[in-house]
């Protein structure tokens, strides 16, 4: 009977630890949003996520942006079966989406006002942050339709190739600046979750 009681108390204690760990995990800041952190530009991207010209078959017109969420790549269609491919960070599980939008606005060193939904999930976030090197939106932002989503830079280059955002697409600051210079307001953006067959 004593062994049985000991087993029950051990199971209760283990359950308490699991519950405590999950609650403390929920209180931790999101690794993808760290306002005030200065980007570590010495981060070496995996070769797969470095900007490069690639062969890319599509019927979309040159200048179209195609985001392949599953691959963690953004393609800027060049025509003649080619594209410029950039490595990106994407939305974490539950925050990935797909659709067809246009770039409706562009901003250099954008200010950041987290939407109310994000504040509700992450109450430690500032309600407003002026643009600059410590801003999570990084050096440039391209706003997608009338949504809260953007293609933007980051102060966390180590998150490229991962799924940590609240639905936006992040590039290292050098890449987002390059893309920003290549695309005008009105650019068509296709977001795909699954690879094409």
């Amino acid at each position: 009977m004593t062994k049985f009681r000991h087993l029950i108390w051990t199971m209760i204690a283990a359950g308490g630890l699991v519950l405590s760990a999950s609650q403390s995990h929920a209180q931790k800041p999101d690794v993808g949003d760290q306002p005030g952190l200065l980007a570590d530009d010495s981060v070496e991207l995996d070769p797969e996520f470095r900007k490069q010209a690639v062969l890319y078959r599509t019927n979309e017109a040159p200048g179209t942006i195609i985001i392949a969420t599953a691959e963690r790549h953004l393609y800027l269609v060049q025509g003649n079966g080619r594209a410029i491919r950039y490595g990106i960070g994407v939305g974490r599980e539950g925050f990935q989406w797909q659709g067809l939008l246009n770039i409706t606005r562009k901003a250099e060193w954008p200010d950041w006002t987290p939407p109310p939904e994000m504040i509700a999930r992450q109450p430690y976030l500032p309600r407003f942050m002026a643009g600059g090197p410590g801003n999570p939106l990084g050096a440039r932002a391209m706003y997608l339709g009338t949504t809260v989503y953007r293609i933007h830079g980051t102060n966390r280059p180590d998150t490229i190739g991962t799924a940590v955002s609240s639905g936006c697409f992040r590039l290292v600051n050098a890449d987002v600046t390059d893309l920003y210079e290549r695309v005008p307001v009105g650019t068509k953006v296709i977001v795909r979750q699954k690879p094409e067959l």
Side-chain angles (χ1 to χ4, degrees):
M1 185 72 167
T2 305
K3 285 184 180 180
F4 180 70
R5 236 185 258 155
H6 179 69
L7 178 62
I8 295 293
W9 280 112
T10 303
M11 289 172 56
I12 290 171
L17 284 173
V18 168
L19 181 60
S20 171
S22 67
Q23 287 175 344
S24 71
H25 178 69
Q27 299 295 323
K28 287 183 183 174
D30 184 336
V31 71
D33 299 310
Q34 293 192 1
L37 180 72
L38 296 180
D40 179 0
D41 292 328
S42 70
V43 169
E44 187 79 20
L45 290 180
D46 184 294
E48 178 185 349
F49 299 116
R50 293 182 196 150
K51 176 188 143 197
Q52 57 189 288
V54 295
L55 295 174
Y56 189 74
R57 291 179 49 186
T58 182
N59 293 327
E60 297 298 333
T64 302
I65 291 174
I66 300 173
I67 296 173
T69 304
E71 294 176 28
R72 315 288 200 262
H73 291 133
L74 180 152
Y75 296 90
L76 177 59
V77 177
Q78 301 293 289
N80 297 321
R82 301 201 58 84
I84 299 173
R85 186 179 79 188
Y86 302 86
I88 59 173
V90 301
R92 62 187 178 271
E93 191 172 324
F95 290 85
Q96 294 180 5
W97 55 278
Q98 59 187 6
L100 172 62
L101 298 164
N102 292 81
I103 293 175
T104 51
R105 184 165 81 88
K106 294 170 52 176
E108 296 184 23
W109 293 107
D111 295 337
W112 183 44
T113 304
E117 304 85 3
M118 184 180 271
I119 295 291
R121 290 189 308 271
Q122 300 165 273
Y124 55 85
L125 292 176
R127 294 338 182 228
F128 171 83
M129 186 173 187
N135 190 307
L137 295 185
R140 304 287 184 272
M142 289 153 274
Y143 296 76
L144 300 176
T146 58
T147 71
V148 297
Y149 302 118
R150 297 166 290 260
I151 297 168
H152 63 80
T154 183
N155 61 346
R156 291 292 312 272
D158 58 311
T159 63
I160 301 305
T162 67
V164 296
S165 83
S166 292
C168 289
F169 307 102
R170 61 181 63 184
L171 293 83
V172 294
N173 285 329
D175 286 355
V176 80
T177 300
D178 179 79
L179 179 64
Y180 183 96
E181 297 300 326
R182 293 175 185 270
V183 298
V185 167
T187 295
K188 180 179 179 182
V189 179
I190 300 167
V191 180
R192 296 183 177 138
Q193 281 196 37
K194 296 187 173 130
E196 282 190 288
L197 297 177

